[in-house]
Structure formats: C-alpha cells, structure tokens
Amino acid sequence: MDADVWNEQVAKDYDESSAHMYKPEVLSPAVAFLERRVGRHPALEFAVGTGRVALPLSARGVRVVGIEKSQPMAQELGKKPGGDDVAVTIGDMTTSQVPGVFSLVYLVYNAITCLLSQEEQVACFRNAARHLEPGGRFVIEVFVPELQRLPPGETARPFHIGDQHVGFDTYDLLNQQVVSHHYTIVDGRGSTFLSPHRYVWPSELDLMAQLAGLRLSERWADWAKTPFTATSRSHVSVWQKPFDGSVAL
C-alpha cells in the first residue's frame, strides 16, 4: 500500500469524505459485530486509519491497538477523544509486528484491496495469523468485485451516490486492478481522491487463509449478518486459527 496516496491532505479530509461510513446504521453494527468476537485478549486493527472503528470499539471497553502505514492518518487518530487509548505502530500490515497476543485481528472498509498484489495480500493473512492466539479470529470486510454488473466494454461502476459524495470504480480486468474515484463537496468546497486497489474474490481470500493456517468460520453479506448470496455486493468474513496454535509461515 503506497503511503503517498494517504498523505497529509487526504488524512485531513478523510473523515469528511467518508462521512457516510460514520453513520450509526453503518458503523454501529460493525463495532457490535467485532465486540462480540473479542475474547480475553486485545484486538488489533490493520490499517487503523483515523480510528473510525477502533475508537468506538475502544470506548466499549475493548483494548485496541493498530498498525497504520500512513503517519498523517495515525496523527489524525491521535487528535481525537480517546486517541491516546489506541496505540498505533507505524508500519506495513504485511510485515509489521506488535507485542502481545490477540483474540481478534480485523481489517475493514475494503482495506485488504489496498495491497496491490496477491503476494502482499497473502502476506497480510500470514501476519494476521502470527498475531492471533489459538482460536483467535481474523475478520475482513470487503466488496465483491462488480464484474457481473459490467456490460461488455464497460469499465466503470458507481459504488456510492450521496448528497456530499459520489464514488465510482474503474476496472482493469486483465490485471485484477480497480481505481476508486471519490468526489466530495463539503461546505461548498470540492475535492477529489483516487485510490488504487487489487480486487479479490471470496474464494481467493479463503485460499489465502488456508495458506496462513486459518479456517473460514463465518461469512455474511454485512455486519448485520445478512446471509451471503450470489448477488451480495460485499461480505464480512471470519477465519479462525486452530486451537492447537498451528500456523503456516
């Protein structure tokens, strides 16, 4: 994941540009889902960002630590109420390690796709497995690639249309890449933000988990546990580390 994409200006405007993700009907189910899956040890968030999920989860009494590649994003988290309670390690979620053992490692809002190669995504699973206690869980929230909704020759699809934000993705089908385009207007001021991603299928993620020694235990269409079907546009998946503690390196 290129930290230059998540620079100081993007970090400063991130919460406003992602305001739709802070709505209670979006955020509260995510926090509740994660809280119910935290065991006796803390939770670790990969790509913790400005703390959209980490801070309300911490406010519920869960000890949360994070890994974040972008220093400006982490600084924005630190400025918020409760920010001092979430210890953040600056580093890459594919390789950085933090002290301790965790009941839960999680990665939300499509952040797994910020890793632009299959090799990096596999490394992320292995790093999650290294941090988990036996029986611990790795949770990912990510979109399902919209390829079945692309007519022949079309490469762009909208993913959000709101009063202050419009977003659409452009697909490179040959290289399994997608660029997310965000156009935001707040108080009459417009901004644009483009971020590259590598889209990934649920079955491919399951294979990555298997390579890391993790096993699929849950898959839902959203945080509210709507059943996952062939027409679901996103999924929340949970993989578990075996209780014997074995893990692929």
Side-chain angles (χ1 to χ4, degrees), residues 30-45 53-54 56-58 60-65 101-106 132-139 218 223 238 240:
V31 176
F33 183 101
L34 295 169
E35 182 186 22
R36 287 193 294 268
R37 284 154 184 79
V38 172
R40 57 192 178 91
H41 289 120
L44 169 62
E45 181 172 352
V53 174
L57 186 59
S58 175
R60 293 191 178 204
V62 177
R63 190 161 76 85
V64 182
V65 301
V101 64
F102 299 88
S103 300
L104 177 71
V105 179
Y106 65 94
L132 285 172
E133 67 178 354
R137 296 172 173 86
F138 184 33
V139 179
E218 301 177 64
W223 296 108
V238 183
Q240 194 165 18

mmCIF file of all heavy atoms in Angstrom, residues 30-45 53-54 56-58 60-65 101-106 132-139 218 223 238 240:
data_model
loop_
_atom_site.group_PDB
_atom_site.id
_atom_site.type_symbol
_atom_site.label_atom_id
_atom_site.label_comp_id
_atom_site.label_asym_id
_atom_site.label_seq_id
_atom_site.Cartn_x
_atom_site.Cartn_y
_atom_site.Cartn_z
ATOM 1 N N ALA A 30 -21.006 -2.719 12.789
ATOM 2 C CA ALA A 30 -19.626 -3.188 12.654
ATOM 3 C C ALA A 30 -18.956 -3.298 14.012
ATOM 4 O O ALA A 30 -18.299 -4.305 14.332
ATOM 5 C CB ALA A 30 -18.846 -2.246 11.741
ATOM 6 N N VAL A 31 -19.114 -2.269 14.821
ATOM 7 C CA VAL A 31 -18.491 -2.265 16.153
ATOM 8 C C VAL A 31 -19.081 -3.365 17.027
ATOM 9 O O VAL A 31 -18.358 -4.080 17.737
ATOM 10 C CB VAL A 31 -18.652 -0.883 16.808
ATOM 11 C CG1 VAL A 31 -18.106 -0.896 18.236
ATOM 12 C CG2 VAL A 31 -17.933 0.191 15.986
ATOM 13 N N ALA A 32 -20.388 -3.540 16.968
ATOM 14 C CA ALA A 32 -21.040 -4.588 17.765
ATOM 15 C C ALA A 32 -20.583 -5.978 17.333
ATOM 16 O O ALA A 32 -20.344 -6.859 18.172
ATOM 17 C CB ALA A 32 -22.559 -4.462 17.647
ATOM 18 N N PHE A 33 -20.473 -6.192 16.019
ATOM 19 C CA PHE A 33 -20.034 -7.487 15.487
ATOM 20 C C PHE A 33 -18.641 -7.823 16.018
ATOM 21 O O PHE A 33 -18.380 -8.946 16.486
ATOM 22 C CB PHE A 33 -20.019 -7.407 13.964
ATOM 23 C CG PHE A 33 -19.657 -8.695 13.261
ATOM 24 C CD1 PHE A 33 -20.646 -9.496 12.705
ATOM 25 C CD2 PHE A 33 -18.329 -9.099 13.119
ATOM 26 C CE1 PHE A 33 -20.323 -10.666 12.039
ATOM 27 C CE2 PHE A 33 -17.994 -10.266 12.451
ATOM 28 C CZ PHE A 33 -18.998 -11.060 11.920
ATOM 29 N N LEU A 34 -17.729 -6.862 15.957
ATOM 30 C CA LEU A 34 -16.356 -7.094 16.401
ATOM 31 C C LEU A 34 -16.288 -7.292 17.913
ATOM 32 O O LEU A 34 -15.560 -8.159 18.403
ATOM 33 C CB LEU A 34 -15.467 -5.925 15.972
ATOM 34 C CG LEU A 34 -15.297 -5.760 14.454
ATOM 35 C CD1 LEU A 34 -14.636 -4.432 14.136
ATOM 36 C CD2 LEU A 34 -14.506 -6.916 13.858
ATOM 37 N N GLU A 35 -17.054 -6.497 18.656
ATOM 38 C CA GLU A 35 -17.049 -6.623 20.112
ATOM 39 C C GLU A 35 -17.466 -8.028 20.542
ATOM 40 O O GLU A 35 -16.887 -8.604 21.476
ATOM 41 C CB GLU A 35 -17.983 -5.588 20.728
ATOM 42 C CG GLU A 35 -18.007 -5.620 22.249
ATOM 43 C CD GLU A 35 -19.053 -4.692 22.835
ATOM 44 O OE1 GLU A 35 -20.015 -4.345 22.120
ATOM 45 O OE2 GLU A 35 -18.925 -4.338 24.021
ATOM 46 N N ARG A 36 -18.441 -8.588 19.841
ATOM 47 C CA ARG A 36 -18.931 -9.925 20.210
ATOM 48 C C ARG A 36 -17.908 -11.015 19.929
ATOM 49 O O ARG A 36 -18.033 -12.134 20.442
ATOM 50 C CB ARG A 36 -20.235 -10.225 19.472
ATOM 51 C CG ARG A 36 -21.438 -9.453 19.988
ATOM 52 C CD ARG A 36 -22.744 -10.008 19.444
ATOM 53 N NE ARG A 36 -22.860 -9.819 18.014
ATOM 54 C CZ ARG A 36 -23.429 -8.769 17.444
ATOM 55 N NH1 ARG A 36 -23.928 -7.796 18.191
ATOM 56 N NH2 ARG A 36 -23.515 -8.671 16.128
ATOM 57 N N ARG A 37 -16.900 -10.714 19.119
ATOM 58 C CA ARG A 37 -15.904 -11.722 18.761
ATOM 59 C C ARG A 37 -14.545 -11.493 19.407
ATOM 60 O O ARG A 37 -13.581 -12.176 19.090
ATOM 61 C CB ARG A 37 -15.794 -11.803 17.227
ATOM 62 C CG ARG A 37 -16.989 -12.550 16.642
ATOM 63 C CD ARG A 37 -17.299 -12.154 15.221
ATOM 64 N NE ARG A 37 -18.513 -12.837 14.751
ATOM 65 C CZ ARG A 37 -19.755 -12.443 15.063
ATOM 66 N NH1 ARG A 37 -19.946 -11.380 15.822
ATOM 67 N NH2 ARG A 37 -20.799 -13.117 14.606
ATOM 68 N N VAL A 38 -14.466 -10.546 20.293
ATOM 69 C CA VAL A 38 -13.238 -10.325 21.060
ATOM 70 C C VAL A 38 -13.236 -11.265 22.258
ATOM 71 O O VAL A 38 -14.220 -11.343 23.002
ATOM 72 C CB VAL A 38 -13.129 -8.865 21.531
ATOM 73 C CG1 VAL A 38 -11.953 -8.700 22.475
ATOM 74 C CG2 VAL A 38 -12.972 -7.938 20.338
ATOM 75 N N GLY A 39 -12.159 -11.973 22.444
ATOM 76 C CA GLY A 39 -12.033 -12.860 23.590
ATOM 77 C C GLY A 39 -11.369 -12.154 24.758
ATOM 78 O O GLY A 39 -11.572 -10.963 24.993
ATOM 79 N N ARG A 40 -10.510 -12.861 25.441
ATOM 80 C CA ARG A 40 -9.897 -12.316 26.647
ATOM 81 C C ARG A 40 -8.686 -11.451 26.347
ATOM 82 O O ARG A 40 -8.167 -10.771 27.235
ATOM 83 C CB ARG A 40 -9.493 -13.471 27.577
ATOM 84 C CG ARG A 40 -8.550 -14.482 26.937
ATOM 85 C CD ARG A 40 -8.424 -15.756 27.784
ATOM 86 N NE ARG A 40 -7.560 -16.744 27.154
ATOM 87 C CZ ARG A 40 -6.261 -16.829 27.374
ATOM 88 N NH1 ARG A 40 -5.672 -15.990 28.208
ATOM 89 N NH2 ARG A 40 -5.544 -17.771 26.776
ATOM 90 N N HIS A 41 -8.212 -11.439 25.118
ATOM 91 C CA HIS A 41 -7.069 -10.627 24.747
ATOM 92 C C HIS A 41 -7.494 -9.446 23.883
ATOM 93 O O HIS A 41 -8.632 -9.400 23.403
ATOM 94 C CB HIS A 41 -6.032 -11.486 24.013
ATOM 95 C CG HIS A 41 -5.327 -12.452 24.900
ATOM 96 N ND1 HIS A 41 -5.374 -13.813 24.706
ATOM 97 C CD2 HIS A 41 -4.563 -12.267 26.008
ATOM 98 C CE1 HIS A 41 -4.668 -14.428 25.645
ATOM 99 N NE2 HIS A 41 -4.171 -13.505 26.449
ATOM 100 N N PRO A 42 -6.597 -8.492 23.656
ATOM 101 C CA PRO A 42 -6.971 -7.285 22.895
ATOM 102 C C PRO A 42 -7.255 -7.578 21.427
ATOM 103 O O PRO A 42 -7.062 -8.692 20.926
ATOM 104 C CB PRO A 42 -5.726 -6.389 23.045
ATOM 105 C CG PRO A 42 -4.946 -6.950 24.178
ATOM 106 C CD PRO A 42 -5.234 -8.420 24.190
ATOM 107 N N ALA A 43 -7.711 -6.516 20.745
ATOM 108 C CA ALA A 43 -7.958 -6.560 19.308
ATOM 109 C C ALA A 43 -6.895 -5.741 18.594
ATOM 110 O O ALA A 43 -6.419 -4.727 19.107
ATOM 111 C CB ALA A 43 -9.341 -6.012 18.985
ATOM 112 N N LEU A 44 -6.542 -6.186 17.387
ATOM 113 C CA LEU A 44 -5.556 -5.499 16.552
ATOM 114 C C LEU A 44 -6.213 -5.133 15.239
ATOM 115 O O LEU A 44 -6.750 -5.997 14.542
ATOM 116 C CB LEU A 44 -4.348 -6.412 16.305
ATOM 117 C CG LEU A 44 -3.334 -5.963 15.251
ATOM 118 C CD1 LEU A 44 -2.676 -4.642 15.631
ATOM 119 C CD2 LEU A 44 -2.261 -7.057 15.060
ATOM 120 N N GLU A 45 -6.179 -3.845 14.896
ATOM 121 C CA GLU A 45 -6.728 -3.405 13.614
ATOM 122 C C GLU A 45 -5.592 -3.116 12.641
ATOM 123 O O GLU A 45 -4.735 -2.271 12.905
ATOM 124 C CB GLU A 45 -7.601 -2.161 13.757
ATOM 125 C CG GLU A 45 -8.182 -1.726 12.414
ATOM 126 C CD GLU A 45 -9.211 -0.616 12.504
ATOM 127 O OE1 GLU A 45 -9.613 -0.242 13.621
ATOM 128 O OE2 GLU A 45 -9.628 -0.121 11.427
ATOM 129 N N VAL A 53 -13.313 2.858 13.354
ATOM 130 C CA VAL A 53 -13.817 1.684 14.067
ATOM 131 C C VAL A 53 -13.093 1.487 15.392
ATOM 132 O O VAL A 53 -13.707 1.127 16.402
ATOM 133 C CB VAL A 53 -13.681 0.424 13.190
ATOM 134 C CG1 VAL A 53 -14.054 -0.828 13.964
ATOM 135 C CG2 VAL A 53 -14.556 0.551 11.944
ATOM 136 N N ALA A 54 -11.793 1.730 15.411
ATOM 137 C CA ALA A 54 -11.002 1.473 16.617
ATOM 138 C C ALA A 54 -11.472 2.295 17.809
ATOM 139 O O ALA A 54 -11.540 1.788 18.944
ATOM 140 C CB ALA A 54 -9.526 1.749 16.335
ATOM 141 N N PRO A 56 -14.579 3.793 18.599
ATOM 142 C CA PRO A 56 -15.811 3.350 19.266
ATOM 143 C C PRO A 56 -15.701 1.951 19.866
ATOM 144 O O PRO A 56 -16.334 1.664 20.881
ATOM 145 C CB PRO A 56 -16.866 3.400 18.157
ATOM 146 C CG PRO A 56 -16.113 3.443 16.880
ATOM 147 C CD PRO A 56 -14.814 4.114 17.194
ATOM 148 N N LEU A 57 -14.874 1.087 19.271
ATOM 149 C CA LEU A 57 -14.659 -0.229 19.866
ATOM 150 C C LEU A 57 -13.904 -0.091 21.181
ATOM 151 O O LEU A 57 -14.242 -0.749 22.181
ATOM 152 C CB LEU A 57 -13.885 -1.121 18.888
ATOM 153 C CG LEU A 57 -13.702 -2.583 19.292
ATOM 154 C CD1 LEU A 57 -15.034 -3.283 19.496
ATOM 155 C CD2 LEU A 57 -12.868 -3.326 18.247
ATOM 156 N N SER A 58 -12.903 0.779 21.210
ATOM 157 C CA SER A 58 -12.176 1.054 22.450
ATOM 158 C C SER A 58 -13.089 1.652 23.511
ATOM 159 O O SER A 58 -12.992 1.319 24.693
ATOM 160 C CB SER A 58 -11.011 2.006 22.161
ATOM 161 O OG SER A 58 -10.353 2.387 23.347
ATOM 162 N N ARG A 60 -16.017 0.965 24.063
ATOM 163 C CA ARG A 60 -16.836 -0.094 24.649
ATOM 164 C C ARG A 60 -16.046 -0.963 25.624
ATOM 165 O O ARG A 60 -16.560 -1.968 26.119
ATOM 166 C CB ARG A 60 -17.431 -0.972 23.544
ATOM 167 C CG ARG A 60 -18.448 -0.261 22.670
ATOM 168 C CD ARG A 60 -19.177 -1.241 21.780
ATOM 169 N NE ARG A 60 -20.195 -0.599 20.946
ATOM 170 C CZ ARG A 60 -21.245 -1.214 20.442
ATOM 171 N NH1 ARG A 60 -21.435 -2.511 20.676
ATOM 172 N NH2 ARG A 60 -22.104 -0.567 19.691
ATOM 173 N N GLY A 61 -14.823 -0.593 25.881
ATOM 174 C CA GLY A 61 -14.020 -1.315 26.855
ATOM 175 C C GLY A 61 -13.073 -2.332 26.272
ATOM 176 O O GLY A 61 -12.396 -3.053 27.022
ATOM 177 N N VAL A 62 -12.979 -2.416 24.938
ATOM 178 C CA VAL A 62 -12.052 -3.340 24.292
ATOM 179 C C VAL A 62 -10.707 -2.640 24.125
ATOM 180 O O VAL A 62 -10.652 -1.511 23.628
ATOM 181 C CB VAL A 62 -12.589 -3.777 22.912
ATOM 182 C CG1 VAL A 62 -11.577 -4.677 22.208
ATOM 183 C CG2 VAL A 62 -13.929 -4.478 23.063
ATOM 184 N N ARG A 63 -9.639 -3.275 24.540
ATOM 185 C CA ARG A 63 -8.317 -2.688 24.297
ATOM 186 C C ARG A 63 -7.945 -2.930 22.841
ATOM 187 O O ARG A 63 -7.878 -4.071 22.390
ATOM 188 C CB ARG A 63 -7.256 -3.273 25.232
ATOM 189 C CG ARG A 63 -5.929 -2.495 25.146
ATOM 190 C CD ARG A 63 -5.054 -2.755 26.361
ATOM 191 N NE ARG A 63 -4.416 -4.048 26.306
ATOM 192 C CZ ARG A 63 -3.280 -4.287 25.665
ATOM 193 N NH1 ARG A 63 -2.661 -3.306 25.013
ATOM 194 N NH2 ARG A 63 -2.745 -5.496 25.681
ATOM 195 N N VAL A 64 -7.712 -1.850 22.118
ATOM 196 C CA VAL A 64 -7.440 -1.916 20.690
ATOM 197 C C VAL A 64 -6.074 -1.302 20.405
ATOM 198 O O VAL A 64 -5.738 -0.236 20.926
ATOM 199 C CB VAL A 64 -8.513 -1.156 19.881
ATOM 200 C CG1 VAL A 64 -8.241 -1.283 18.380
ATOM 201 C CG2 VAL A 64 -9.915 -1.667 20.212
ATOM 202 N N VAL A 65 -5.292 -1.981 19.588
ATOM 203 C CA VAL A 65 -4.052 -1.413 19.066
ATOM 204 C C VAL A 65 -4.147 -1.483 17.540
ATOM 205 O O VAL A 65 -4.966 -2.206 16.984
ATOM 206 C CB VAL A 65 -2.801 -2.150 19.583
ATOM 207 C CG1 VAL A 65 -2.740 -2.105 21.096
ATOM 208 C CG2 VAL A 65 -2.783 -3.592 19.100
ATOM 209 N N VAL A 101 -0.370 -10.886 22.244
ATOM 210 C CA VAL A 101 -1.183 -11.855 21.522
ATOM 211 C C VAL A 101 -2.606 -11.319 21.478
ATOM 212 O O VAL A 101 -3.047 -10.610 22.398
ATOM 213 C CB VAL A 101 -1.127 -13.240 22.196
ATOM 214 C CG1 VAL A 101 -1.725 -13.211 23.595
ATOM 215 C CG2 VAL A 101 -1.811 -14.290 21.339
ATOM 216 N N PHE A 102 -3.342 -11.640 20.408
ATOM 217 C CA PHE A 102 -4.634 -11.015 20.175
ATOM 218 C C PHE A 102 -5.722 -12.061 19.933
ATOM 219 O O PHE A 102 -5.484 -13.076 19.290
ATOM 220 C CB PHE A 102 -4.551 -10.057 18.981
ATOM 221 C CG PHE A 102 -3.560 -8.945 19.202
ATOM 222 C CD1 PHE A 102 -2.226 -9.104 18.858
ATOM 223 C CD2 PHE A 102 -3.955 -7.759 19.791
ATOM 224 C CE1 PHE A 102 -1.310 -8.099 19.083
ATOM 225 C CE2 PHE A 102 -3.044 -6.743 20.025
ATOM 226 C CZ PHE A 102 -1.720 -6.906 19.671
ATOM 227 N N SER A 103 -6.913 -11.763 20.453
ATOM 228 C CA SER A 103 -8.070 -12.609 20.187
ATOM 229 C C SER A 103 -8.671 -12.304 18.823
ATOM 230 O O SER A 103 -9.345 -13.144 18.230
ATOM 231 C CB SER A 103 -9.153 -12.386 21.252
ATOM 232 O OG SER A 103 -8.684 -12.696 22.536
ATOM 233 N N LEU A 104 -8.439 -11.077 18.356
ATOM 234 C CA LEU A 104 -9.089 -10.608 17.139
ATOM 235 C C LEU A 104 -8.144 -9.707 16.364
ATOM 236 O O LEU A 104 -7.538 -8.792 16.928
ATOM 237 C CB LEU A 104 -10.360 -9.831 17.506
ATOM 238 C CG LEU A 104 -11.150 -9.192 16.361
ATOM 239 C CD1 LEU A 104 -11.849 -10.264 15.537
ATOM 240 C CD2 LEU A 104 -12.183 -8.195 16.911
ATOM 241 N N VAL A 105 -8.002 -9.979 15.076
ATOM 242 C CA VAL A 105 -7.362 -9.070 14.131
ATOM 243 C C VAL A 105 -8.417 -8.744 13.088
ATOM 244 O O VAL A 105 -9.119 -9.638 12.617
ATOM 245 C CB VAL A 105 -6.118 -9.693 13.468
ATOM 246 C CG1 VAL A 105 -5.499 -8.725 12.461
ATOM 247 C CG2 VAL A 105 -5.083 -10.092 14.519
ATOM 248 N N TYR A 106 -8.553 -7.474 12.740
ATOM 249 C CA TYR A 106 -9.592 -7.125 11.775
ATOM 250 C C TYR A 106 -9.114 -6.068 10.794
ATOM 251 O O TYR A 106 -8.195 -5.288 11.075
ATOM 252 C CB TYR A 106 -10.880 -6.694 12.478
ATOM 253 C CG TYR A 106 -10.794 -5.418 13.293
ATOM 254 C CD1 TYR A 106 -11.146 -4.185 12.735
ATOM 255 C CD2 TYR A 106 -10.393 -5.443 14.629
ATOM 256 C CE1 TYR A 106 -11.087 -3.022 13.477
ATOM 257 C CE2 TYR A 106 -10.340 -4.289 15.380
ATOM 258 C CZ TYR A 106 -10.683 -3.076 14.806
ATOM 259 O OH TYR A 106 -10.625 -1.918 15.543
ATOM 260 N N LEU A 132 -2.380 -13.844 16.152
ATOM 261 C CA LEU A 132 -3.558 -14.406 16.805
ATOM 262 C C LEU A 132 -3.206 -15.481 17.825
ATOM 263 O O LEU A 132 -2.309 -16.303 17.608
ATOM 264 C CB LEU A 132 -4.502 -15.013 15.766
ATOM 265 C CG LEU A 132 -5.317 -14.033 14.916
ATOM 266 C CD1 LEU A 132 -6.050 -14.790 13.809
ATOM 267 C CD2 LEU A 132 -6.307 -13.253 15.776
ATOM 268 N N GLU A 133 -3.955 -15.496 18.911
ATOM 269 C CA GLU A 133 -3.885 -16.607 19.843
ATOM 270 C C GLU A 133 -4.602 -17.807 19.230
ATOM 271 O O GLU A 133 -5.394 -17.667 18.297
ATOM 272 C CB GLU A 133 -4.564 -16.230 21.157
ATOM 273 C CG GLU A 133 -6.071 -16.028 21.024
ATOM 274 C CD GLU A 133 -6.751 -15.701 22.341
ATOM 275 O OE1 GLU A 133 -6.082 -15.748 23.379
ATOM 276 O OE2 GLU A 133 -7.958 -15.420 22.312
ATOM 277 N N PRO A 134 -4.339 -19.042 19.701
ATOM 278 C CA PRO A 134 -5.125 -20.188 19.237
ATOM 279 C C PRO A 134 -6.613 -19.947 19.445
ATOM 280 O O PRO A 134 -7.043 -19.515 20.517
ATOM 281 C CB PRO A 134 -4.605 -21.333 20.115
ATOM 282 C CG PRO A 134 -3.203 -20.931 20.464
ATOM 283 C CD PRO A 134 -3.256 -19.441 20.622
ATOM 284 N N GLY A 135 -7.384 -20.176 18.407
ATOM 285 C CA GLY A 135 -8.809 -19.892 18.469
ATOM 286 C C GLY A 135 -9.174 -18.463 18.104
ATOM 287 O O GLY A 135 -10.361 -18.143 17.995
ATOM 288 N N GLY A 136 -8.163 -17.607 17.913
ATOM 289 C CA GLY A 136 -8.422 -16.216 17.569
ATOM 290 C C GLY A 136 -8.964 -16.068 16.154
ATOM 291 O O GLY A 136 -8.823 -16.971 15.315
ATOM 292 N N ARG A 137 -9.560 -14.910 15.874
ATOM 293 C CA ARG A 137 -10.262 -14.686 14.618
ATOM 294 C C ARG A 137 -9.662 -13.527 13.817
ATOM 295 O O ARG A 137 -9.260 -12.521 14.395
ATOM 296 C CB ARG A 137 -11.741 -14.401 14.888
ATOM 297 C CG ARG A 137 -12.495 -15.564 15.512
ATOM 298 C CD ARG A 137 -13.892 -15.135 15.918
ATOM 299 N NE ARG A 137 -14.712 -16.262 16.376
ATOM 300 C CZ ARG A 137 -14.719 -16.719 17.617
ATOM 301 N NH1 ARG A 137 -13.947 -16.142 18.540
ATOM 302 N NH2 ARG A 137 -15.476 -17.742 17.954
ATOM 303 N N PHE A 138 -9.668 -13.696 12.495
ATOM 304 C CA PHE A 138 -9.285 -12.653 11.557
ATOM 305 C C PHE A 138 -10.533 -12.281 10.766
ATOM 306 O O PHE A 138 -11.143 -13.128 10.109
ATOM 307 C CB PHE A 138 -8.187 -13.162 10.624
ATOM 308 C CG PHE A 138 -7.652 -12.130 9.662
ATOM 309 C CD1 PHE A 138 -7.573 -10.791 9.999
ATOM 310 C CD2 PHE A 138 -7.198 -12.522 8.405
ATOM 311 C CE1 PHE A 138 -7.065 -9.846 9.115
ATOM 312 C CE2 PHE A 138 -6.682 -11.591 7.510
ATOM 313 C CZ PHE A 138 -6.621 -10.250 7.868
ATOM 314 N N VAL A 139 -10.932 -11.009 10.832
ATOM 315 C CA VAL A 139 -12.169 -10.530 10.205
ATOM 316 C C VAL A 139 -11.827 -9.531 9.108
ATOM 317 O O VAL A 139 -11.045 -8.600 9.327
ATOM 318 C CB VAL A 139 -13.094 -9.865 11.241
ATOM 319 C CG1 VAL A 139 -14.371 -9.353 10.572
ATOM 320 C CG2 VAL A 139 -13.440 -10.841 12.360
ATOM 321 N N GLU A 218 -17.134 -18.018 9.407
ATOM 322 C CA GLU A 218 -18.354 -17.264 9.138
ATOM 323 C C GLU A 218 -18.185 -16.464 7.850
ATOM 324 O O GLU A 218 -17.088 -16.011 7.528
ATOM 325 C CB GLU A 218 -18.663 -16.261 10.259
ATOM 326 C CG GLU A 218 -18.841 -16.827 11.636
ATOM 327 C CD GLU A 218 -19.073 -15.716 12.647
ATOM 328 O OE1 GLU A 218 -20.112 -15.013 12.541
ATOM 329 O OE2 GLU A 218 -18.204 -15.525 13.518
ATOM 330 N N TRP A 223 -22.409 -6.504 8.240
ATOM 331 C CA TRP A 223 -22.179 -6.610 9.682
ATOM 332 C C TRP A 223 -23.433 -7.041 10.441
ATOM 333 O O TRP A 223 -23.341 -7.537 11.562
ATOM 334 C CB TRP A 223 -21.688 -5.276 10.231
ATOM 335 C CG TRP A 223 -20.370 -4.822 9.699
ATOM 336 C CD1 TRP A 223 -20.149 -3.804 8.824
ATOM 337 C CD2 TRP A 223 -19.083 -5.359 10.013
ATOM 338 N NE1 TRP A 223 -18.797 -3.669 8.571
ATOM 339 C CE2 TRP A 223 -18.119 -4.608 9.291
ATOM 340 C CE3 TRP A 223 -18.642 -6.396 10.839
ATOM 341 C CZ2 TRP A 223 -16.754 -4.866 9.361
ATOM 342 C CZ3 TRP A 223 -17.278 -6.656 10.914
ATOM 343 C CH2 TRP A 223 -16.352 -5.906 10.185
ATOM 344 N N VAL A 238 -14.975 -14.269 8.411
ATOM 345 C CA VAL A 238 -14.236 -14.548 9.640
ATOM 346 C C VAL A 238 -13.491 -15.860 9.464
ATOM 347 O O VAL A 238 -14.095 -16.887 9.158
ATOM 348 C CB VAL A 238 -15.187 -14.651 10.854
ATOM 349 C CG1 VAL A 238 -14.379 -14.874 12.132
ATOM 350 C CG2 VAL A 238 -16.065 -13.410 10.970
ATOM 351 N N GLN A 240 -10.631 -18.458 11.433
ATOM 352 C CA GLN A 240 -10.201 -18.759 12.793
ATOM 353 C C GLN A 240 -8.903 -19.557 12.780
ATOM 354 O O GLN A 240 -8.698 -20.429 11.924
ATOM 355 C CB GLN A 240 -11.293 -19.530 13.532
ATOM 356 C CG GLN A 240 -11.084 -19.602 15.037
ATOM 357 C CD GLN A 240 -12.348 -20.048 15.752
ATOM 358 O OE1 GLN A 240 -13.265 -20.612 15.159
ATOM 359 N NE2 GLN A 240 -12.422 -19.795 17.044
#
